[in-house]
Amino acid sequence: MEPLKARFDSVARGLLDLAASGRRILVVTHIDADGILSGSMVFSSLAKKGANVVLRCIPDLDPGLISELASQRYDFYVFTDLGSALVRELESGLGQRFLVIDHHQLAEEDMKKAAVVNAWDFGLDGGREACSSSMAYEFALSVDPSNRDLSPLAVVGAVADRQDGGPDRSLTGLNKMALEDAVADGLARVSKDLLFIGRETRPVHESVALTSTPYLKGVTGNKEGILSSLHQSGLVLKEGASWRTLSTLTEDEKKKVTEVVAGLVASSGGNTGSIAELVGDAITLAGEDAFTPLRDVREFGTLLNACGRMGEPGTGVSVCLGDRGNSLAAAMAILSQYRMGIGRALQALSEDPARITASGWLVFVHGDGVIEDKLLGPVISILTSSPGYTDKIVVGLTKSGESDLKVSSRVGDAHQGEVNLGVVMRAAGEAVRGVGGGHSMAAGAKIPATEAEAFERMVVEMLAG
Ligand code: C5P
C-alpha cells in the first residue's frame, strides 16, 4: 500500500496548500452510503485544517453538471465516488483544478492521470477490496494521522457497497486495513454472528423479520409468524419486561433461531441455501449507542443509503460528521419510511406477478405505478438476492418524472457467466438517447419512456452476445 499512501500524501499536501491560501474548495460526492461517507471524510479532514470547503451530494455526474460546477467559481474541486468515467469532461470543464478519489473502473489512459487517485491503479480490485470510503480514509490519514478516528466510517462504506465478500462475509484489501485500525483502536469489534438487522437493538423476531438481504421467503416481513414459531421452539424471548436481542442469545439459542428461520423458509417453498449468508463477521461499533442503527455497520450503511435514496443525503452527512441528536433522529425516521416504501413495492410485485417477466436467466421487472424511482435500486437488489433470482440478471424499469424511465439492473451472486452490466447499461442507454453506467454487478440508466421496448431489445441482444 506504500504507493497509494505516497500518492495520498502528495495530493493531501497540495490540498492543504490550497487551504492555507484561503482557496475555495468544493467536494462533490455521490448520494449513496459510500458517497456520503467518503465525501464527509474528505470534507471533515479539510475543514478541521481550517479549509474553506463546501460539500455537495449529487445523484449522478454528467457533462451538464460539470459545466454548472465550473461556473460556480470554486478554486478547486474534489470528486469522491464519482468522476472516473468522465475524466476527459472534467479536464475540459475544470482544467487542472480537480481531483477524483474513487474506486469505479476507468479507462486505462485515465488511470495514470495526476488528477485521479483510483483504487484500480494500485493493484486493488475496486469492486471488492476498496471502496471510496476506504480510499477517502487513506486520504484523511495523509491530511492528519489523527483522522484514524474515521476508520469506522471506512468500514461502514465497504459493507454498504457490498464489499464484504471474503470468507464469512469478511472484508479484504484496503477495507480490511481500515477495519484493523478500527479494531486496534477499540472502535470496532468483529464477531461471528447471525447477521440479522438490529442484532443489538431489536427484539429477536423483529430483527429476523426486518432482514431483506438475502430475501427470505416466509420470513422477511413476517413478524407475527416468526414470533409464534420462536415461541413454539421454546426460546425465551423476554428478560423480565424487556425483549431480548439476538446479541444476548447463547450459541445454542442462536442455533435454534436459525432452525426456526430455516423451517419457515422451507415451509413457504423458499430456498434454505441463502440462510448460510446470514452467518458471518458482525462488526459492532463500540463508540455508538447500543440502541441506534449506528451500532452495527451494516445497519449504519442502510441508514445512509436510505438518506441518499430518499433525497436527504445532507442528513446522512450530518450523522457522519458526528451529529447524534436531531440529524440521527431525522435519519432514523427516513430509514423507517424507506423500509416501508420498499416493503410496499415488494408486496405489490408479489400481488401482480405479470410485472415480472423471465426468459432464461434474464428477468425484467416493470415497476410503473408501484415502485418509486428512488427505491427501484434497492427493490431490484432485494429481488436479486431472493430465492429463484440469485442466478439471474434482473433489470427493473419504472417511471421517473413525466417522460423518463429509471432503470436498475443487478447480477445475482450465483449467476454463471461473465457480464459487465455497467457496459451494457451505458451502451443500451446511449443507444436510445439516454444515459447509463455503473459497476459490473450493479448498474443503471435513465431513458426516455417511449424507448422502453427498444432499450429492452438492446439489453437482450447485448447480454446474449
Ligand atoms: O440506481 P441504481 O442503484 O440501480 O444504480 C446502480 C449503479 O449504477 C450505481 O453505482 C449508479 O451510480 C450507477 N448508475 C449510473 N448511471 C445511471 C444510473 C446508475 O452510473 N444513469
Side-chain angles (χ1 to χ4, degrees), residues 30 60 104 309 377 406-408 410 435-439 442-446:
H30 190 213
D60 276 312
H104 292 94
R309 293 273 179 191
K406 153 113 182 117
V407 182
S408 280
R410 302 287 186 272
V435 289
H439 305 268
K446 180 74 93 54

Side-chain angles (χ1 to χ4, degrees), residues 23-47:
R23 300 292 165 81
R24 298 175 68 218
I25 300 169
L26 178 66
V27 179
V28 181
T29 198
H30 190 213
I31 55 165
D32 72 0
D34 191 32
I36 291 173
L37 287 153
S38 51
S40 299
M41 279 188 269
V42 170
F43 170 83
S44 70
S45 59
L46 293 174

